[in-house]
Each structure stands twice: as C-alpha cells, then as structure tokens.
Amino acid sequence: MILYIYKLRNFMSKINDLPSNIIIQSQDEDQILCSVKFDNFSRSIIVHPNSDFLFIIANKKSEKRKIFKLLYSIFKENLSYFRPTAEEEHSFICSNKDVSLKFIHDNKIEYSNNLTKEYCKKTLNRDYYFYEAKINLDSIPNCYFLYYGDAIKIKDSFRDHLSSIIDSFENNWVVE
C-alpha cells in the first residue's frame, strides 16, 4: 500500500460541499477517512485537519493523479504537494531511533549502517542522494514503513497498523 503525502488546508470548510463521489466513511477530531469513487476504481484518502496532512492511498500513479485532480478542482490553492526542505527531512529521518537508509550513488542503490550514521551526523559525501528510509515503530515490534519523501509505503501485513504508522509520521514531522 502506498500513501502519497500532500498538504490540505481548510478541509473542514468544504466538508459539506464535497461531490457525491467522495464519501466520508469515518470522522473524528483528528482524522477523516473518505472513499473516492470513480467508474473504474475506488480508493481511500485520509485527512488530518489539525496538521493539514492528506494521504492518498493508491498503488497506481494514474489513480493518484486522478484523485489529486479531483481534489484540486475542489480545494485549489489549499491543496499542495508535500515538499520538505532537506533540513526538515533530515530532522525527521534522524529523529527516529531505529532507521536505516538507502542512497543512490553512481546510479546504484547503496546502504549500510555507516552511511546512515554519516547522514545523520551530516558528514556524508555530497554525491550520495537519499532514496529511502526504513523507519521502525517503537510501539509495535517488527512494524515499519518506508519513507520516500512524498510517499510512504506500507507492507500489506502492516495494514492493521495504518493509524499508528500515520500517527508516528505525523507526530515526528517537523514541518510547520
């Protein structure tokens, strides 16, 4: 399962004006779960109105784009791409106790504990580019998610822990 990350401000101001193909499945003060239905597929979105995070759950980029286009037609300038700065991303990644990183170097994916330590100490050579962070959840043994900058990938076996994974991401994030 892939969660594409966006920022969505003022969702609550339009909640009563959503089109009929966006159905609210559950709602509380911290999270709103919606189903977005199209002729050939249906996917979920999760809105966290307190932090302005929006997660589009889609395994195909074409589905993500279609959902984004629909949401943008409703929310316009209140919907934006999630684009953390390098410093914000570094703070988020290295604030996690149990993290392992993969980098791209000379067109190859490379990873090691030493590369992760150097990245967190800010001593990693400049020709290594962050590719993926595997972030383990302290609260759930053997549960983790993969962070890619604008997306989170979760194994299907961790589907039951989706709320905990999103909460961990949201609670550790330093943007805004």
Side-chain angles (χ1 to χ4, degrees):
M1 157 187 332
I2 300 174
L3 285 74
Y4 295 94
I5 309 164
Y6 295 91
K7 295 296 272 187
L8 177 59
R9 294 182 318 278
N10 301 321
F11 178 80
M12 297 307 288
S13 67
K14 300 236 183 198
I15 198 164
N16 294 324
D17 300 326
L18 295 174
S20 61
N21 65 329
I22 300 178
I23 299 141
I24 296 175
Q25 294 179 315
S26 66
Q27 177 181 353
D28 63 33
E29 63 185 38
D30 297 323
Q31 178 173 289
I32 302 162
L33 175 64
C34 301
S35 178
V36 182
K37 296 182 184 283
F38 290 97
D39 290 338
N40 54 346
F41 71 92
S42 176
R43 294 292 173 257
S44 296
I45 63 170
I46 299 170
V47 180
H48 279 221
N50 296 332
S51 64
D52 295 336
F53 277 113
L54 163 70
F55 301 93
I56 296 175
I57 302 173
N59 288 328
K60 295 180 182 178
K61 286 190 176 189
S62 60
E63 295 171 348
K64 172 199 65 149
R65 285 190 296 267
K66 197 167 186 176
I67 294 169
F68 180 84
K69 186 176 178 181
L70 172 66
L71 293 173
Y72 190 78
S73 72
I74 300 164
F75 295 100
K76 308 250 186 289
E77 68 277 350
N78 288 322
L79 178 60
S80 61
Y81 291 100
F82 178 67
R83 291 193 175 121
T85 66
E87 188 62 34
E88 291 166 335
E89 189 167 67
H90 179 273
S91 294
F92 165 69
I93 291 169
C94 295
S95 69
N96 289 281
K97 295 176 199 162
D98 194 4
V99 65
S100 59
L101 305 177
K102 291 183 181 178
F103 299 91
I104 296 175
H105 177 68
D106 291 338
N107 294 321
K108 292 184 281 184
I109 294 178
E110 294 192 22
Y111 56 95
S112 73
N113 288 339
N114 285 339
L115 288 174
T116 297
K117 287 176 187 174
E118 287 180 45
Y119 174 83
C120 287
K121 288 189 214 173
K122 296 184 179 181
T123 58
L124 187 62
N125 294 337
R126 293 190 179 273
D127 57 349
Y128 283 85
Y129 298 96
F130 168 72
Y131 172 68
E132 169 188 285
K134 178 182 174 188
I135 300 174
N136 293 294
L137 269 62
D138 294 334
S139 59
I140 304 168
N142 302 316
C143 182
Y144 64 88
F145 63 92
L146 301 175
Y147 168 77
Y148 291 95
D150 64 348
I152 295 172
K153 187 173 183 179
I154 301 169
K155 287 178 120 180
D156 286 338
S157 60
F158 302 142
R159 182 182 281 289
D160 293 341
H161 304 296
L162 180 62
S163 290
S164 296
I165 290 169
I166 289 174
D167 288 346
S168 174
F169 173 82
E170 181 182 39
N171 292 337
N172 288 309
W173 196 253
V174 295
V175 178
E176 298 179 73

